[in-house]
Amino acid sequence: MRTQVVIIGSGPAGLLLGQLLHKSGIDTIILEQKPKDYVLGRIRAGVLEQGTVALIEEAGAGVRMRHEGLVHDGTEIEFGGIRHRIDFKGLTGKSVIIYGQTEVTRDLMDVREACGAPTVYEALDVGIRDIESESPSVRWSADGKKFAIDCDYVVGCDGFHGVSRQTIPANRLRTYERAYPFGWLGILVEKPPVSEELIYVNHERGFALCSMRSRTRSRYYLQCPIEEHAEDWTDGQFWEELTRRLDPQAVSKLQTGPSIEKSLAPLRSFVAEPMRFGRLFLAGDAAHIVPPTGAKGLNLAASDVGILSRALIELYKTNSDAGLDSYSQRALARIWKAERFSWQMTQLLHLVPDASGFDRKLQAAGLEYLFKSTAAQTALAENYVGLPY
Ligand code: FAS
Ligand code: PHB
């Protein structure tokens, strides 16, 4: 078998790349280790930057997003029980769209199936060969049979625990990492949200986030100790703790109910450089991770794919590999700015265990400065709505 580009991973990065390449007549195959329903069962991101929205529309998967997505012109940050609105639209002229990653994934899967491009689910033991040659190949097993395919390029869109980054010799990769001593316990509930926009809460008991997926489905997060597990929390305990961290107005609007999903995500900052090795490219979580405080994870995956897809299209249309040669450097320039913003938002909003009195005073001063400075609010807003590609 042979194709032009093998994509490993059927998450948002892999699916978006597959569609953007398909629309330019480039043949791909996506190899995904999990069943389709498992991929769709993961509840993750909820905020789309305008650049991400544009790429999803370019991929032909934007109809439902435009119809069901909620346009948000700002967000609220709460400290000391008082909410302060950051006016994205007024400060930057831009908004974000609230539309779950699960729905983005579903829409991209649907358009890929409709155009007949191949995705192999439950592709196990994926192995990448000869990435420093001009004819790499990829092997996998499925239904007890072994398969292999030759290709021009391999793109690892297989997330943090995938096989692609591990295929690059360790002495050719530089990695940078910061682990945070807390996680986010997330709950999904079929109840209306407490407010029109998101509320990020810095509370003395810990961070909380009031988000949503629609006007009838809400997503809430609580900062919790890294050693805890989602099953340690009953729904009642979650609602009780959330109520303690919210202001009285939000509490009065809070509608609780049985969780549809409950999960605990560790927070980590991570970058692997470079994002190319021979004919293997990395995109999305395969190359970088951000704490979700800045709502950047999914959006960085999209911007990687936006840069890489244009480079691959340029190569196949003009035989120029200039875009491929500059991909890693261009993607990393944007990634590091998002890493900085995500780290800054995490530092600003979380109760850091064993933080000194001095640290807490610095955090309070940072928030007070933010609430009083248009320049500081503009800086936050332009990072949150998405920096240029
Ligand atoms: P993904 O991890 O989504 O997809 C990788 C795919 O590759 C998976 O389907 C996996 O099964 C497959 N795969 C892995 N190894 C493979 C192998 N060896 N062979 C074949 N396939 C393989 N971001 C936000 O912006 N906001 C959030 O609130 C948020 N919450 C998150 C919560 C959790 C628990 C996690 C883990 C991440 C969260 N993120 C959030 C970040 C998340 O949205 C990612 O940025 C996004 O999924 C990145 O997409 P991909 O790069 O496609 O990676
Ligand atoms: C979400 O709705 O899942 C969400 C929103 C904003 C964030 C993180 C997660 O910063």
Side-chain angles (χ1 to χ4, degrees):
M1 284 193 284
R2 176 169 184 79
T3 189
Q4 289 174 300
V5 181
V6 173
I7 299 169
I8 303 175
S10 172
L15 288 162
L16 183 58
L17 178 63
Q19 274 323 96
L20 292 173
L21 295 183
H22 172 80
K23 290 183 82 74
S24 288
I26 297 167
D27 291 332
T28 64
I29 185 171
I30 295 179
L31 303 176
E32 165 58 51
Q33 67 178 358
K34 297 292 188 185
K36 177 179 175 182
D37 287 347
Y38 181 94
V39 178
L40 287 171
R42 288 192 294 235
I43 304 298
R44 288 185 173 171
V47 177
L48 304 183
E49 295 174 358
Q50 282 186 357
T52 303
V53 169
L55 286 171
I56 292 168
E57 289 183 315
E58 187 182 329
V63 173
R64 202 159 65 97
M65 173 185 67
R66 277 295 182 199
H67 180 65
E68 297 178 13
L70 301 174
V71 176
H72 279 202
D73 292 340
T75 191
E76 293 192 295
I77 295 181
E78 180 171 333
F79 181 55
I82 299 169
R83 292 191 221 168
H84 305 263
R85 185 169 185 268
I86 308 295
D87 180 5
F88 300 151
K89 191 79 173 178
L91 292 166
T92 69
K94 291 183 180 177
S95 312
V96 294
I97 286 189
I98 304 297
Y99 188 67
Q101 175 173 322
T102 307
E103 305 320 313
V104 172
T105 305
R106 191 190 316 279
D107 295 343
L108 286 166
M109 282 178 175
D110 289 350
V111 292
R112 184 166 181 87
E113 279 170 22
C115 72
T119 299
V120 178
Y121 290 100
E122 300 182 75
L124 306 178
D125 308 319
V126 170
I128 309 164
R129 301 277 188 282
D130 304 322
I131 51 177
E132 290 191 88
S133 77
E134 296 196 352
S135 49
S137 63
V138 181
R139 286 153 173 69
W140 73 95
S141 57
D143 301 326
K145 300 190 192 84
K146 293 188 181 302
F147 300 87
I149 191 165
D150 296 329
C151 57
D152 300 332
Y153 297 96
V154 181
V155 183
C157 298
D158 47 352
F160 184 69
H161 300 289
V163 65
S164 302
R165 192 176 70 247
Q166 296 167 37
T167 303
I168 299 174
N171 64 352
R172 306 294 290 274
L173 208 58
R174 296 180 302 280
T175 59
Y176 305 84
E177 184 159 13
R178 172 162 298 189
Y180 297 86
F182 40 79
W184 278 21
L185 176 64
I187 202 168
L188 193 65
V189 64
E190 201 62 50
K191 290 288 182 182
V194 295
S195 62
E196 283 295 309
E197 296 175 331
L198 273 55
I199 309 175
Y200 290 81
V201 183
N202 175 317
H203 190 275
E204 60 194 11
R205 295 180 64 89
F207 170 82
L209 172 60
C210 300
S211 185
M212 62 195 77
R213 290 294 177 271
S214 70
R215 291 196 170 81
T216 60
R217 178 171 287 196
S218 299
R219 178 82 169 153
Y220 296 102
Y221 294 97
L222 290 176
Q223 172 189 343
C224 63
I226 190 64
E227 57 275 0
E228 290 189 2
H229 302 90
E231 50 273 16
D232 298 338
W233 289 71
T234 66
D235 288 1
Q237 288 166 330
F238 184 94
W239 297 124
E240 184 186 344
E241 183 58 33
L242 180 65
T243 302
R244 287 182 172 157
R245 299 186 190 182
L246 297 183
D247 61 273
Q249 182 195 4
V251 171
S252 69
K253 296 282 182 71
L254 180 61
Q255 295 188 41
T256 64
S259 57
I260 304 171
E261 187 267 357
K262 196 189 301 173
S263 56
L264 196 150
L267 268 60
R268 182 200 320 265
S269 298
F270 174 84
V271 179
E273 296 184 358
M275 293 167 65
R276 173 189 190 175
F277 186 76
R279 297 256 172 153
L280 171 63
F281 294 87
L282 304 180
D285 277 18
H288 44 76
I289 297 287
V290 284
T293 328
K296 289 293 152 234
L298 173 58
N299 293 297
L300 275 182
S303 56
D304 289 351
V305 164
I307 298 167
L308 183 57
S309 60
R310 280 158 177 65
L312 284 165
I313 293 164
E314 175 193 55
L315 173 98
Y316 282 111
K317 285 202 179 340
T318 70
N319 210 27
S320 162
D321 52 11
L324 291 178
D325 289 345
S326 64
Y327 163 66
S328 180
Q329 171 260 327
R330 287 181 58 204
L332 285 165
R334 190 173 191 278
I335 288 157
W336 276 109
K337 294 185 182 78
E339 289 284 348
R340 186 203 63 81
F341 175 66
S342 304
W343 165 82
Q344 184 186 48
M345 287 283 279
T346 303
Q347 293 295 101
L348 198 61
L349 296 170
H350 288 76
L351 175 71
V352 181
D354 69 30
S356 67
F358 182 76
D359 295 333
R360 288 292 284 171
K361 281 290 189 184
L362 278 187
Q363 191 182 61
L367 287 160
E368 293 302 336
Y369 171 62
L370 172 66
F371 299 148
K372 292 190 165 57
S373 164
T374 303
Q377 291 170 32
T378 304
L380 187 151
E382 69 177 5
N383 278 279
Y384 195 98
V385 299
L387 296 177
Y389 284 14

